[in-house]
Amino acid sequence: MQGLDFSIVPEYWPLIGKGLWWTVVISTASAVLSVLAGIGFALLVLYASPVVRYPVRLFMWLFMGTPLLLQLFLIYFGLVQIGIDIPAIWSGIIALSLHFAVYNADIFRAGIAALDKGQTEAARSLGFGAWRTRIYIVVPQAVRGTVPAVGNMMIALLKESSIVSMIGIAELVHSAQLVISETYRPFEFYLTAAALYYGLNLILEAVLRGIERKVELSR
Amino acid sequence: MDIALIGRIVPVFVQAAWTTVELSLLSLALGLAVAALVAMLRLSHVAALRFAGAAYVSVFRGTPALIQIFLLYFGGPQVGIQFEPFAAGAIALGLNIAAYMAESIRGGVLSVDRGQMEAARSLGFGEGQSMRWIVLPQAAKLMIRPLGVNAVALVKGTALVATISVVELTYTAQRFIGSTYKPFEIFAVTAVLYMIMVYGLTLLIDRLDRAYAGEA
């Protein structure tokens, strides 16, 4: 037992701050991609021909039934063995995006199914094609109702982005690990990292509340 | 697909999957016990207790489970707490899922009509008695699905303890991907085992929910 000493934390702020920045970058990129891919998957599952629909459903089923860490290992350590060499940072972003896209797709699918059929009929009768109707009329309206549920997914995504530290991406947890290997003070620096995640989480929750209010007003 | 390889590795992976099951069950038991306590705090009449419960939920839900595991396993010895990887993993996962389960329990209790409690009180039941005999039995049905969702997340979450070298399913998969250079065979075997656990549990929860919450 060596006791705790938080006074050394500020000295390592440059490194920790850099990690924090990368956590924000990776989470934001993955959040955007997971929403876009989620909408895409939802549309394919609902409307594409069986040749496309069933593989997408199989993929969703596979990714919902397995842990993110396993998916990350498959993408980073696995693909390179069959000649697909994706840099660590992109492996991390792809794994996070696909993992959460699958959950988002389920939410969007329910949102689209809940939308009034009259919207589609009206657009079609005004001369919109089937896919133009889905993309310009159905999706924008359906997505509004899904903001709270997708927001919860994004809160989970921010926390789970810590997992990409396992493939050596220099985000917050990995930066903490680097500092710990130098200082031998895991408790202080993991607690610091935890506090920073907590802060990021509060900010994200405030942002999501703002978006929810805006969406409510424009409905 | 290298079928011979799959045949060779299956026994090892089934063993590893069993460790995942053990981890899940242990942390589920711990998680439910702590969650019941935290939910009681959250529903208490005493403001300080309510605050303590809310703080627990906020802290454990506001930070990554991975860091909670690292704090206990790597940081613990600094403050005199030392566990084997398996125990550290099970405890950290249990404490983490407890925060989510406490909210599921609280949600169930709050969904029971207030009139039930009032009716019980006016019939002469004490507050504790009303909760125990009138409110909780009705709330329990409403908790099946949300607690089930938590349990499924927990099973997938056990993969995180691979990072502190607990030889469970994901750790084993990572080691074999590294040594066999057959990532898709390894992934296929691992995925099937996880999906048996995850979708098996989902099916069980559906059954329970339909059997008990159906009439609600």
Side-chain angles (χ1 to χ4, degrees):
Chain A
M1 231 170 113
Q2 59 185 141
L4 300 182
D5 176 16
F6 283 94
S7 67
I8 58 161
V9 172
E11 192 187 322
Y12 290 92
W13 170 249
L15 196 56
I16 299 286
K18 219 179 193 174
L20 181 68
W21 169 245
W22 277 107
T23 285
V24 172
V25 169
I26 291 166
S27 301
T28 310
S30 308
V32 171
L33 289 172
S34 76
V35 167
L36 294 177
I39 292 173
F41 289 155
L43 288 172
L44 291 177
V45 163
L46 283 169
Y47 304 122
S49 70
V51 188
V52 179
R53 194 192 320 152
Y54 286 110
V56 172
R57 277 175 63 169
L58 178 72
F59 171 79
M60 287 178 61
W61 192 65
L62 211 66
F63 261 52
M64 276 191 162
T66 54
L68 172 60
L69 188 61
L70 180 69
Q71 295 157 12
L72 181 70
F73 285 159
L74 177 77
I75 291 170
Y76 184 63
F77 297 116
L79 291 184
V80 69
Q81 294 175 1
I82 55 162
I84 305 172
D85 192 359
I86 305 170
I89 180 113
W90 282 108
S91 299
I93 290 174
I94 291 170
L96 277 170
S97 305
L98 286 179
H99 183 81
F100 283 95
V102 163
Y103 291 92
N104 287 341
D106 229 33
I107 297 167
F108 290 135
R109 192 176 56 169
I112 291 170
L115 194 68
D116 189 351
K117 264 181 72 99
Q119 293 292 331
T120 304
E121 285 160 8
R124 293 305 303 274
S125 71
L126 286 171
F128 273 63
W131 278 100
R132 280 177 64 93
T133 303
R134 287 163 194 156
I135 290 168
Y136 293 107
I137 310 291
V138 174
V139 166
Q141 298 186 68
V143 161
R144 286 182 183 175
T146 62
V147 167
V150 173
N152 282 340
M153 284 299 149
M154 299 303 99
I155 287 171
L157 188 151
L158 170 62
K159 285 178 285 175
E160 302 225 339
S161 73
S162 59
I163 289 176
V164 304
S165 62
M166 289 300 115
I167 57 168
I169 298 174
E171 46 66 81
L172 189 44
V173 173
H174 193 75
S175 306
Q177 285 169 333
L178 284 179
V179 174
I180 289 162
S181 66
E182 211 176 286
T183 59
Y184 303 106
R185 294 204 163 270
F187 196 93
E188 287 88 338
F189 285 99
Y190 283 134
L191 198 66
T192 303
L196 291 170
Y197 273 106
Y198 191 79
L200 283 180
N201 207 25
L202 288 180
I203 295 170
L204 177 59
E205 276 174 14
V207 169
L208 288 170
R209 264 199 305 277
I211 295 174
E212 264 174 64
R213 210 169 311 131
K214 231 176 184 165
V215 167
E216 276 304 316
L217 287 177
S218 66
R219 270 224 265 206
Chain B
M1 270 285 164
D2 186 342
I3 303 293
L5 173 76
I6 291 180
R8 267 205 318 281
I9 63 171
V10 160
V12 182
F13 276 72
V14 169
Q15 184 89 40
W18 181 244
T19 306
T20 294
V21 170
E22 286 178 329
L23 256 173
S24 304
L25 289 176
L26 277 174
S27 34
L28 182 67
L30 175 67
L32 275 172
V34 175
L37 189 75
V38 173
M40 264 167 60
L41 293 177
R42 290 276 270 150
L43 294 164
S44 158
H45 291 300
V46 185
L49 295 183
R50 271 204 310 277
F51 177 80
Y56 183 94
V57 170
S58 175
V59 165
F60 277 90
R61 294 208 312 185
T63 57
L66 185 66
I67 295 196
Q68 293 162 19
I69 292 168
F70 286 173
L71 254 179
L72 181 61
Y73 183 65
F74 295 116
Q78 258 176 289
V79 289
I81 305 168
Q82 202 145 10
F83 288 110
E84 298 288 303
F86 183 90
I91 293 170
L93 288 169
L95 293 178
N96 176 266
I97 206 67
Y100 295 85
M101 291 185 147
E103 289 302 274
S104 301
I105 293 173
R106 177 169 162 264
V109 171
L110 290 178
S111 313
V112 176
D113 193 303
R114 274 181 60 94
Q116 295 290 327
M117 172 65 98
E118 285 160 9
R121 294 303 304 276
S122 71
L123 286 172
F125 281 86
E127 168 135 38
Q129 283 178 316
S130 310
M131 182 55 91
R132 167 76 184 78
W133 298 107
I134 310 295
V135 176
L136 275 183
Q138 301 181 63
K141 296 174 186 172
L142 302 171
M143 293 172 198
I144 295 172
R145 188 157 290 281
L147 284 177
V149 170
N150 298 147
V152 168
L154 173 63
V155 172
K156 283 183 270 182
T158 57
L160 289 180
V161 302
T163 60
I164 54 170
S165 311
V166 177
V167 187
E168 45 67 77
L169 200 42
T170 295
Y171 181 88
T172 307
Q174 187 199 3
R175 231 187 45 208
F176 274 74
I177 288 175
S179 61
T180 60
Y181 283 80
K182 292 278 167 61
F184 293 99
E185 283 84 344
I186 304 295
F187 181 75
V189 172
T190 313
V192 165
L193 288 167
Y194 267 117
M195 289 199 293
I196 290 172
M197 293 187 259
V198 166
Y199 291 122
L201 184 57
T202 307
L203 218 64
L204 176 70
I205 293 155
D206 275 345
R207 280 269 175 89
L208 284 174
D209 188 53
R210 227 169 303 143
Y212 292 102
E215 75 262 42

